Coordinates of all heavy atoms in Angstrom, one line a residue:
M1 N 112.8 121.2 107.9 CA 113.4 120.0 107.3 C 113.6 119.0 108.5 O 114.1 119.4 109.5 CB 114.7 120.3 106.6 CG 115.3 119.1 106.0 SD 116.6 119.6 104.9 CE 117.5 118.2 104.8
V2 N 113.3 117.8 108.3 CA 113.4 116.7 109.3 C 114.7 115.9 108.9 O 114.8 115.5 107.8 CB 112.3 115.8 109.3 CG1 112.5 114.7 110.3 CG2 110.9 116.5 109.7
T3 N 115.6 115.7 109.9 CA 116.7 114.9 109.7 C 116.5 113.5 110.2 O 115.4 113.3 110.8 CB 118.0 115.5 110.5 OG1 117.7 115.4 111.9 CG2 118.3 116.9 110.0
N4 N 117.4 112.6 109.8 CA 117.2 111.2 110.2 C 117.2 110.9 111.6 O 116.8 109.9 112.1 CB 118.3 110.4 109.5 CG 118.1 110.3 107.9 OD1 116.9 110.6 107.5 ND2 119.2 110.0 107.2
N5 N 117.8 111.8 112.4 CA 117.9 111.5 113.9 C 116.8 112.3 114.7 O 117.0 112.4 115.9 CB 119.2 111.7 114.4 CG 119.6 113.2 114.3 OD1 118.9 114.0 113.6 ND2 120.8 113.6 114.8
Q6 N 115.8 112.7 114.1 CA 114.6 113.4 114.8 C 113.5 112.5 114.7 O 113.1 111.8 113.7 CB 114.3 114.7 114.1 CG 115.3 115.7 114.2 CD 114.8 117.1 113.6 OE1 114.4 117.0 112.4 NE2 114.9 118.2 114.2
I7 N 112.7 112.4 115.9 CA 111.5 111.8 116.0 C 110.4 112.6 115.2 O 110.3 113.8 115.3 CB 111.0 111.5 117.4 CG1 111.9 110.8 118.3 CG2 109.5 110.9 117.5 CD1 112.0 109.3 117.9
T8 N 109.7 111.8 114.3 CA 108.7 112.5 113.5 C 107.4 111.7 113.4 O 107.4 110.4 113.9 CB 109.3 112.8 112.1 OG1 108.3 113.7 111.3 CG2 109.5 111.5 111.3
H9 N 106.4 112.2 113.0 CA 105.1 111.5 112.7 C 104.8 111.4 111.2 O 105.1 112.4 110.5 CB 103.9 112.3 113.4 CG 103.9 112.2 114.8 ND1 103.2 111.3 115.5 CD2 104.6 113.0 115.8 CE1 103.4 111.5 116.9 NE2 104.3 112.6 116.9
R10 N 104.2 110.3 110.8 CA 103.7 110.3 109.4 C 102.4 109.6 109.4 O 102.3 108.5 110.0 CB 104.6 109.6 108.5 CG 104.2 109.8 107.0 CD 105.3 109.2 106.0 NE 106.5 109.7 106.2 CZ 107.6 109.1 105.5 NH1 107.4 108.1 104.7 NH2 108.8 109.6 105.7
Q11 N 101.4 110.3 108.8 CA 100.1 109.6 108.7 C 99.9 108.9 107.4 O 100.3 109.3 106.3 CB 98.9 110.7 108.6 CG 98.9 111.6 109.9 CD 98.1 111.0 111.0 OE1 97.1 110.1 110.7 NE2 98.3 111.3 112.1
I12 N 99.4 107.6 107.5 CA 99.2 106.7 106.3 C 97.8 106.1 106.4 O 97.3 106.0 107.6 CB 100.3 105.7 106.1 CG1 100.3 104.7 107.2 CG2 101.6 106.4 105.9 CD1 101.1 103.4 106.8
R13 N 97.3 105.7 105.3 CA 96.2 104.9 105.3 C 96.6 103.7 104.6 O 97.4 103.6 103.7 CB 95.0 105.4 104.4 CG 93.8 104.6 104.5 CD 92.6 105.2 103.8 NE 92.0 106.3 104.6 CZ 91.2 107.1 104.3 NH1 90.6 107.1 103.1 NH2 90.6 108.0 105.2
L14 N 96.3 102.3 105.2 CA 96.8 101.1 104.8 C 95.6 100.1 104.5 O 94.7 100.0 105.4 CB 97.7 100.6 105.8 CG 98.3 99.2 105.8 CD1 99.2 99.2 104.6 CD2 99.0 98.8 107.0
R15 N 95.6 99.5 103.3 CA 94.7 98.5 103.1 C 95.4 97.1 103.4 O 96.4 96.8 102.8 CB 94.2 98.5 101.7 CG 93.1 97.4 101.4 CD 92.5 97.5 100.0 NE 93.5 97.0 99.1 CZ 93.7 95.8 98.6 NH1 92.9 94.8 99.1 NH2 94.6 95.4 97.8
I16 N 94.8 96.2 104.2 CA 95.1 94.9 104.5 C 94.2 94.0 103.9 O 93.1 93.8 104.4 CB 95.5 94.6 106.0 CG1 96.5 95.7 106.4 CG2 95.9 93.2 106.1 CD1 96.9 95.5 107.9
P17 N 94.6 93.3 102.7 CA 93.6 92.4 102.1 C 93.4 91.1 103.0 O 94.2 90.9 103.8 CB 94.3 92.1 100.8 CG 95.7 92.4 101.0 CD 95.8 93.4 102.0
T18 N 92.5 90.4 102.6 CA 92.1 89.2 103.3 C 93.2 88.2 103.5 O 93.3 87.5 104.5 CB 90.8 88.5 102.7 OG1 91.0 88.3 101.4 CG2 89.6 89.3 102.9
N19 N 94.0 88.0 102.4 CA 95.1 87.1 102.5 C 96.2 87.4 103.5 O 97.0 86.6 103.7 CB 95.7 86.8 101.1 CG 96.3 88.0 100.4 OD1 95.7 89.0 100.5 ND2 97.4 87.9 99.8
F20 N 96.2 88.7 104.1 CA 97.1 89.0 105.1 C 96.4 89.1 106.5 O 97.1 89.5 107.5 CB 97.6 90.4 104.7 CG 98.9 90.4 103.9 CD1 98.6 90.5 102.5 CD2 100.0 90.4 104.3 CE1 99.6 90.4 101.6 CE2 101.2 90.3 103.4 CZ 101.0 90.4 102.1
H21 N 95.2 88.7 106.7 CA 94.6 88.8 107.9 C 95.2 87.9 109.0 O 95.2 88.3 110.2 CB 93.1 88.4 107.9 CG 92.1 89.3 107.2 ND1 90.9 89.3 107.3 CD2 92.4 90.6 106.6 CE1 90.3 90.3 106.7 NE2 91.3 91.0 106.3
Q22 N 95.9 87.0 108.7 CA 96.6 86.2 109.7 C 98.1 86.6 110.0 O 98.7 86.1 110.7 CB 96.7 84.6 109.3 CG 95.3 84.0 109.3 CD 94.5 84.1 110.5 OE1 94.9 83.9 111.5 NE2 93.2 84.7 110.4
E23 N 98.5 87.7 109.3 CA 99.8 88.1 109.3 C 99.8 89.3 110.3 O 99.0 90.3 110.1 CB 100.4 88.6 108.0 CG 100.5 87.6 106.9 CD 101.5 86.5 107.4 OE1 102.6 86.8 107.9 OE2 101.2 85.3 107.0
P24 N 100.7 89.4 111.3 CA 100.8 90.5 112.2 C 101.5 91.8 111.5 O 102.6 92.3 112.1 CB 101.6 89.9 113.4 CG 102.5 89.0 112.7 CD 101.7 88.4 111.6
V25 N 100.9 92.3 110.6 CA 101.4 93.4 109.8 C 101.7 94.7 110.7 O 102.8 95.2 110.8 CB 100.6 94.0 108.7 CG1 101.2 95.2 108.0 CG2 100.5 92.8 107.6
I26 N 100.7 95.1 111.5 CA 101.0 96.2 112.3 C 101.8 96.0 113.5 O 102.8 96.8 113.8 CB 99.6 96.8 112.8 CG1 98.7 97.3 111.7 CG2 99.8 98.0 113.8 CD1 97.4 97.8 111.9
S27 N 101.8 94.9 114.0 CA 102.7 94.3 115.1 C 104.2 94.4 114.5 O 105.1 94.8 115.4 CB 102.4 93.0 115.6 OG 103.3 92.6 116.5
R28 N 104.5 94.0 113.3 CA 105.8 94.0 112.8 C 106.4 95.4 112.5 O 107.5 95.7 112.7 CB 105.8 93.3 111.5 CG 105.7 91.7 111.7 CD 106.1 90.9 110.5 NE 107.4 91.2 110.2 CZ 108.0 90.8 109.0 NH1 107.3 90.0 108.2 NH2 109.2 91.1 108.6
L29 N 105.5 96.4 112.3 CA 106.0 97.8 112.3 C 106.5 98.2 113.6 O 107.5 99.0 113.7 CB 104.7 98.7 111.8 CG 104.2 98.6 110.5 CD1 102.9 99.4 110.3 CD2 105.2 98.8 109.4
V30 N 105.9 97.7 114.7 CA 106.5 98.0 115.9 C 107.7 97.2 116.2 O 108.7 97.8 116.6 CB 105.4 97.7 117.1 CG1 105.9 97.9 118.5 CG2 104.1 98.7 116.9
S31 N 107.7 95.9 116.2 CA 108.7 95.0 116.6 C 109.9 95.1 115.6 O 111.0 95.1 116.1 CB 108.2 93.5 116.8 OG 107.8 93.0 115.5
D32 N 109.7 95.1 114.3 CA 110.8 95.1 113.4 C 111.4 96.4 113.1 O 112.6 96.6 112.7 CB 110.4 94.4 112.1 CG 110.1 92.9 112.2 OD1 110.1 92.4 113.4 OD2 109.7 92.3 111.2
Y33 N 110.5 97.5 113.2 CA 111.0 98.8 112.8 C 111.1 99.8 113.9 O 111.5 101.0 113.8 CB 110.1 99.4 111.7 CG 110.3 98.4 110.3 CD1 109.4 97.4 110.1 CD2 111.4 98.6 109.6 CE1 109.6 96.6 109.0 CE2 111.6 97.8 108.5 CZ 110.7 96.7 108.2 OH 110.9 95.8 107.2
G34 N 110.7 99.4 115.1 CA 110.8 100.3 116.3 C 109.8 101.5 116.3 O 110.1 102.5 117.0
L35 N 108.7 101.4 115.6 CA 107.8 102.5 115.5 C 106.8 102.3 116.7 O 106.5 101.4 117.2 CB 107.0 102.4 114.1 CG 107.9 102.6 112.9 CD1 107.0 102.5 111.7 CD2 108.7 104.0 112.9
T36 N 106.3 103.6 117.0 CA 105.1 103.6 117.8 C 104.0 103.9 116.9 O 104.0 104.8 116.0 CB 105.2 104.9 118.8 OG1 106.3 104.6 119.6 CG2 104.0 105.1 119.7
I37 N 102.8 103.2 117.0 CA 101.8 103.2 116.1 C 100.5 103.6 116.9 O 100.2 103.0 117.9 CB 101.5 101.9 115.4 CG1 102.7 101.3 114.8 CG2 100.3 101.9 114.5 CD1 103.1 101.9 113.5
N38 N 99.8 104.7 116.3 CA 98.5 104.9 116.9 C 97.4 104.8 115.7 O 97.6 105.3 114.6 CB 98.5 106.5 117.3 CG 97.1 106.7 117.9 OD1 96.4 106.0 118.5 ND2 96.8 108.1 117.9
I39 N 96.5 103.8 115.9 CA 95.5 103.5 115.0 C 94.4 104.6 115.2 O 93.7 104.6 116.2 CB 95.0 102.2 115.3 CG1 96.0 101.1 115.1 CG2 93.8 101.9 114.2 CD1 95.5 99.7 115.4
T40 N 94.3 105.5 114.3 CA 93.4 106.7 114.4 C 92.0 106.4 113.8 O 91.1 107.1 114.1 CB 93.9 107.9 113.8 OG1 94.2 107.7 112.3 CG2 95.2 108.4 114.5
A41 N 91.9 105.3 112.9 CA 90.7 104.9 112.4 C 90.8 103.6 111.7 O 91.9 103.1 111.4 CB 90.2 105.9 111.2
A42 N 89.7 102.8 111.7 CA 89.8 101.4 111.2 C 88.4 101.0 110.7 O 87.5 101.4 111.3 CB 90.3 100.5 112.2
I43 N 88.4 100.2 109.6 CA 87.2 99.6 109.1 C 87.5 98.2 108.9 O 88.5 97.8 108.2 CB 86.8 100.2 107.7 CG1 86.5 101.8 107.9 CG2 85.6 99.5 107.2 CD1 86.3 102.5 106.5
L44 N 86.7 97.3 109.6 CA 87.0 95.9 109.5 C 85.6 95.2 109.3 O 84.6 95.6 109.8 CB 87.5 95.3 110.8 CG 88.9 95.9 111.2 CD1 89.2 95.5 112.6 CD2 89.9 95.5 110.3
G45 N 85.6 94.3 108.4 CA 84.3 93.5 108.2 C 84.1 92.5 109.3 O 85.0 92.1 110.0
A46 N 82.8 92.2 109.5 CA 82.4 91.3 110.5 C 83.0 89.9 110.2 O 83.2 89.5 109.1 CB 80.9 91.2 110.6
N47 N 83.5 89.4 111.3 CA 84.3 88.0 111.2 C 85.4 88.1 110.3 O 85.7 87.1 109.7 CB 83.2 86.9 110.8 CG 82.1 86.8 111.8 OD1 82.4 86.8 113.0 ND2 80.9 86.7 111.3
A48 N 86.1 89.2 110.2 CA 87.2 89.5 109.3 C 87.0 89.1 107.9 O 87.9 88.6 107.2 CB 88.5 88.7 109.9
V49 N 85.8 89.4 107.4 CA 85.4 89.3 106.0 C 85.8 90.4 105.2 O 85.5 91.5 105.7 CB 83.9 88.8 105.8 CG1 83.6 88.7 104.4 CG2 83.7 87.5 106.6
G50 N 86.5 90.3 104.1 CA 86.8 91.5 103.4 C 88.2 92.2 103.9 O 88.7 91.7 104.8
D51 N 88.5 93.2 103.2 CA 89.7 93.9 103.4 C 89.6 94.8 104.7 O 88.5 95.2 105.0 CB 90.1 94.8 102.3 CG 90.4 94.0 101.0 OD1 90.6 92.8 101.0 OD2 90.5 94.7 99.9
G52 N 90.7 95.0 105.4 CA 90.8 95.9 106.5 C 91.4 97.2 106.0 O 92.3 97.2 105.3
W53 N 90.8 98.3 106.5 CA 91.5 99.7 106.2 C 91.8 100.3 107.5 O 91.0 100.3 108.5 CB 90.5 100.4 105.5 CG 90.1 100.0 104.1 CD1 89.2 99.0 103.9 CD2 90.6 100.3 102.9 NE1 89.1 98.7 102.5 CE2 90.1 99.6 101.9 CE3 91.6 101.1 102.5 CZ2 90.4 99.6 100.6 CZ3 92.0 101.4 101.2 CH2 91.4 100.6 100.2
F54 N 93.0 100.8 107.6 CA 93.5 101.4 108.8 C 94.2 102.8 108.5 O 94.9 102.9 107.6 CB 94.7 100.5 109.5 CG 94.1 99.2 109.9 CD1 94.2 98.2 109.0 CD2 93.7 99.0 111.2 CE1 93.7 96.9 109.4 CE2 93.2 97.8 111.6 CZ 93.2 96.7 110.7
E55 N 93.9 103.8 109.3 CA 94.6 105.0 109.3 C 95.5 105.0 110.5 O 95.0 104.7 111.6 CB 93.6 106.2 109.4 CG 92.8 106.4 108.1 CD 92.0 107.7 108.2 OE1 92.2 108.5 109.0 OE2 91.0 107.7 107.4
L56 N 96.8 105.1 110.2 CA 97.8 104.9 111.2 C 98.7 106.2 111.3 O 99.0 106.9 110.3 CB 98.7 103.8 110.8 CG 98.1 102.4 110.6 CD1 99.2 101.5 110.1 CD2 97.5 101.9 111.8
D57 N 99.0 106.6 112.6 CA 100.0 107.6 112.8 C 101.3 107.0 113.2 O 101.3 106.2 114.3 CB 99.6 108.5 113.9 CG 100.5 109.6 114.3 OD1 101.0 110.2 113.4 OD2 100.8 109.7 115.5
L58 N 102.3 106.9 112.4 CA 103.5 106.4 112.7 C 104.4 107.4 113.2 O 104.6 108.4 112.7 CB 104.1 105.9 111.4 CG 103.3 105.0 110.3 CD1 104.2 104.8 109.1 CD2 102.8 103.8 111.0
Q59 N 105.1 107.0 114.4 CA 106.0 107.8 115.1 C 107.3 107.1 115.3 O 107.4 106.0 115.7 CB 105.5 108.2 116.4 CG 106.5 109.2 117.3 CD 105.9 109.4 118.6 OE1 104.8 109.3 118.9 NE2 106.8 110.1 119.4
G60 N 108.4 107.7 114.8 CA 109.7 107.2 114.9 C 110.7 108.1 114.2 O 110.4 109.2 113.8
F61 N 112.0 107.6 114.1 CA 113.0 108.3 113.3 C 112.6 108.2 111.8 O 112.0 107.2 111.4 CB 114.3 107.8 113.4 CG 114.8 107.9 114.9 CD1 114.9 106.8 115.8 CD2 115.2 109.2 115.4 CE1 115.4 107.0 117.1 CE2 115.6 109.4 116.7 CZ 115.7 108.3 117.5
T62 N 112.9 109.3 111.0 CA 112.6 109.2 109.7 C 113.0 108.0 108.9 O 112.3 107.4 108.1 CB 113.3 110.5 109.0 OG1 112.8 111.6 109.7 CG2 112.9 110.6 107.5
T63 N 114.3 107.5 109.2 CA 114.7 106.3 108.6 C 113.9 105.1 109.0 O 113.7 104.2 108.0 CB 116.3 106.0 108.8 OG1 116.4 106.0 110.3 CG2 117.2 107.1 108.3
Q64 N 113.5 105.0 110.2 CA 112.6 103.9 110.5 C 111.3 103.8 109.9 O 110.7 102.8 109.4 CB 112.3 103.9 112.1 CG 113.5 103.7 113.0 CD 113.2 103.9 114.4 OE1 112.8 105.1 114.8 NE2 113.3 103.0 115.3
I65 N 110.8 105.0 109.7 CA 109.4 105.2 109.0 C 109.6 104.8 107.5 O 108.8 104.1 106.9 CB 108.8 106.6 109.2 CG1 108.4 106.7 110.7 CG2 107.6 106.8 108.3 CD1 108.0 108.1 111.1
D66 N 110.7 105.4 106.9 CA 110.9 105.0 105.5 C 111.2 103.6 105.3 O 110.6 103.0 104.4 CB 112.1 105.9 105.1 CG 111.9 107.4 104.9 OD1 110.7 107.8 105.0 OD2 112.8 108.1 104.9
D67 N 111.9 103.0 106.1 CA 112.2 101.5 106.1 C 110.9 100.7 106.2 O 110.6 99.8 105.4 CB 113.2 101.1 107.0 CG 114.6 101.6 106.7 OD1 114.8 102.0 105.6 OD2 115.4 101.4 107.6
A68 N 110.0 101.1 107.2 CA 108.7 100.3 107.4 C 107.8 100.6 106.1 O 107.2 99.6 105.7 CB 107.9 100.9 108.6
I69 N 107.8 101.7 105.6 CA 106.9 102.0 104.4 C 107.4 101.2 103.2 O 106.7 100.6 102.5 CB 106.7 103.5 104.1 CG1 105.8 104.1 105.2 CG2 106.2 103.7 102.8 CD1 105.6 105.5 105.2
N70 N 108.7 101.2 103.0 CA 109.3 100.4 101.9 C 108.9 98.9 102.2 O 108.7 98.2 101.1 CB 110.8 100.6 101.9 CG 111.2 101.9 101.4 OD1 110.5 102.5 100.5 ND2 112.4 102.4 101.8
W71 N 108.9 98.4 103.4 CA 108.6 97.0 103.6 C 107.2 96.8 103.2 O 106.8 95.7 102.5 CB 108.9 96.6 105.1 CG 108.3 95.3 105.4 CD1 108.8 94.1 105.0 CD2 107.2 94.9 106.2 NE1 108.0 93.1 105.4 CE2 106.9 93.6 106.2 CE3 106.3 95.8 106.9 CZ2 105.9 93.0 106.9 CZ3 105.2 95.2 107.6 CH2 105.1 93.8 107.6
L72 N 106.3 97.6 103.6 CA 104.8 97.6 103.3 C 104.7 97.5 101.8 O 103.8 96.8 101.2 CB 104.0 98.7 103.9 CG 103.9 98.7 105.4 CD1 103.2 100.0 105.8 CD2 103.1 97.5 105.9
R73 N 105.5 98.4 101.1 CA 105.3 98.3 99.6 C 105.9 97.1 99.0 O 105.4 96.5 98.0 CB 106.0 99.5 99.1 CG 105.2 100.8 99.3 CD 105.9 102.1 98.6 NE 104.9 103.2 98.7 CZ 105.4 104.3 99.2 NH1 106.6 104.6 99.5 NH2 104.5 105.3 99.4
D74 N 107.0 96.5 99.6 CA 107.6 95.3 99.2 C 106.6 94.1 99.2 O 106.7 93.2 98.4 CB 108.9 95.0 100.0 CG 110.1 95.9 99.6 OD1 110.0 96.6 98.6 OD2 111.0 95.8 100.4
I75 N 105.8 94.1 100.3 CA 104.9 93.0 100.4 C 103.6 93.4 99.7 O 102.5 92.7 99.9 CB 104.6 92.6 101.9 CG1 104.0 93.7 102.7 CG2 105.9 92.0 102.5 CD1 103.6 93.3 104.1
E76 N 103.6 94.4 98.9 CA 102.5 94.8 98.1 C 101.2 95.2 98.6 O 100.2 95.0 98.1 CB 102.4 93.8 97.0 CG 103.6 93.6 96.1 CD 103.4 92.6 95.0 OE1 102.5 91.8 95.0 OE2 104.4 92.5 94.1
L77 N 101.3 95.9 99.7 CA 100.2 96.4 100.4 C 99.9 97.9 99.9 O 100.7 98.6 99.6 CB 100.1 96.5 101.9 CG 100.3 95.2 102.7 CD1 100.4 95.3 104.1 CD2 99.2 94.1 102.3
E78 N 98.6 98.2 99.8 CA 98.2 99.5 99.3 C 98.4 100.6 100.5 O 98.0 100.3 101.6 CB 96.8 99.6 98.9 CG 96.6 99.0 97.5 CD 95.1 99.2 97.1 OE1 94.7 100.2 96.7 OE2 94.4 98.1 97.0
I79 N 99.3 101.7 100.2 CA 99.4 102.7 101.1 C 99.2 104.1 100.5 O 99.5 104.2 99.4 CB 100.9 102.7 101.5 CG1 101.4 101.3 102.0 CG2 101.2 103.7 102.7 CD1 102.8 101.1 102.2
W80 N 98.5 104.9 101.3 CA 98.3 106.3 100.9 C 98.9 107.1 102.1 O 98.8 106.8 103.2 CB 96.8 106.7 100.8 CG 96.1 106.0 99.7 CD1 95.9 106.5 98.4 CD2 95.6 104.6 99.8 NE1 95.2 105.5 97.7 CE2 95.0 104.4 98.5 CE3 95.5 103.6 100.7 CZ2 94.3 103.2 98.2 CZ3 94.8 102.5 100.4 CH2 94.3 102.2 99.1
D81 N 99.8 108.0 101.7 CA 100.4 109.0 102.6 C 100.1 110.4 102.3 O 99.2 110.7 101.5 CB 101.9 108.6 102.8 CG 102.6 108.9 101.5 OD1 102.1 109.5 100.6 OD2 103.7 108.4 101.4
E82 N 100.9 111.3 102.9 CA 100.6 112.7 102.8 C 100.7 113.1 101.3 O 100.2 114.1 100.7 CB 101.5 113.6 103.6 CG 102.9 113.5 103.5 CD 103.6 112.3 104.1 OE1 103.0 111.6 104.8 OE2 104.9 112.3 103.9
N83 N 101.5 112.3 100.5 CA 101.7 112.6 99.1 C 100.5 112.3 98.2 O 100.4 112.7 97.1 CB 103.0 112.0 98.5 CG 104.2 112.5 99.3 OD1 104.3 113.6 99.5 ND2 105.2 111.6 99.6
S84 N 99.7 111.4 98.7 CA 98.5 110.9 98.0 C 97.2 111.2 98.7 O 96.2 110.5 98.6 CB 98.7 109.5 97.7 OG 98.9 108.8 98.9
V85 N 97.1 112.1 99.7 CA 95.9 112.4 100.6 C 94.7 112.7 99.7 O 93.6 112.4 100.1 CB 96.2 113.6 101.6 CG1 95.0 114.2 102.0 CG2 97.0 113.0 102.6
G86 N 94.9 113.4 98.5 CA 93.8 113.7 97.7 C 93.0 112.4 97.2 O 91.9 112.5 96.8
D87 N 93.8 111.3 97.2 CA 93.2 110.0 96.8 C 92.4 109.3 97.9 O 91.8 108.2 97.5 CB 94.3 109.1 96.2 CG 95.1 109.7 95.0 OD1 94.4 110.4 94.3 OD2 96.2 109.3 94.8
W88 N 92.4 109.7 99.1 CA 91.8 109.1 100.2 C 90.4 109.2 100.0 O 89.4 108.8 100.2 CB 92.2 109.6 101.5 CG 93.5 109.4 102.0 CD1 94.6 109.1 101.2 CD2 94.0 109.5 103.3 NE1 95.7 108.9 101.9 CE2 95.4 109.1 103.3 CE3 93.5 109.8 104.5 CZ2 96.3 109.1 104.3 CZ3 94.3 109.7 105.7 CH2 95.7 109.4 105.6

């Protein structure tokens, strides 16, 4: 069991639609939520055409990761995590 004061990792897949291409979404995960982000995979269209797909390894305290994922959901980005890996 992971407590709120332990550093942990969480793998997610994130879709960033074209209307968010000018927004620093991943940067905000670092600056606003204090996470360390490792981009483990990415699919981007040429000249930023189409949606971007990122597989991210989020590292931080459980509460930081939970808050960051809640923010991503609040801005209505599609997220898949360990609970929905079968849907990847």
Side-chain angles (χ1 to χ4, degrees):
M1 180 172 164
V2 176
T3 63
N4 290 340
N5 61 352
Q6 289 181 315
I7 298 288
T8 188
H9 289 264
R10 189 175 307 171
Q11 298 276 334
I12 66 168
R13 183 175 285 175
L14 175 66
R15 181 180 73 89
I16 299 180
T18 54
N19 60 314
F20 275 89
H21 281 191
Q22 298 303 314
E23 300 294 326
V25 173
I26 295 173
S27 176
R28 287 196 58 190
L29 295 174
V30 174
S31 63
D32 293 359
Y33 297 95
L35 298 177
T36 300
I37 306 290
N38 185 24
I39 301 170
T40 57
I43 300 172
L44 302 170
N47 300 318
V49 174
D51 296 344
W53 295 84
F54 297 87
E55 286 186 20
L56 304 175
D57 176 48
L58 311 177
Q59 180 182 348
F61 295 111
T62 303
T63 54
Q64 291 172 301
I65 294 173
D66 290 343
D67 289 346
I69 289 176
N70 286 334
W71 172 70
L72 292 170
R73 288 187 175 126
D74 285 347
I75 63 172
E76 299 181 347
L77 295 184
E78 286 184 66
I79 306 165
W80 293 264
D81 61 14
E82 65 271 4
N83 296 322
S84 56
V85 159
D87 298 335
W88 288 21

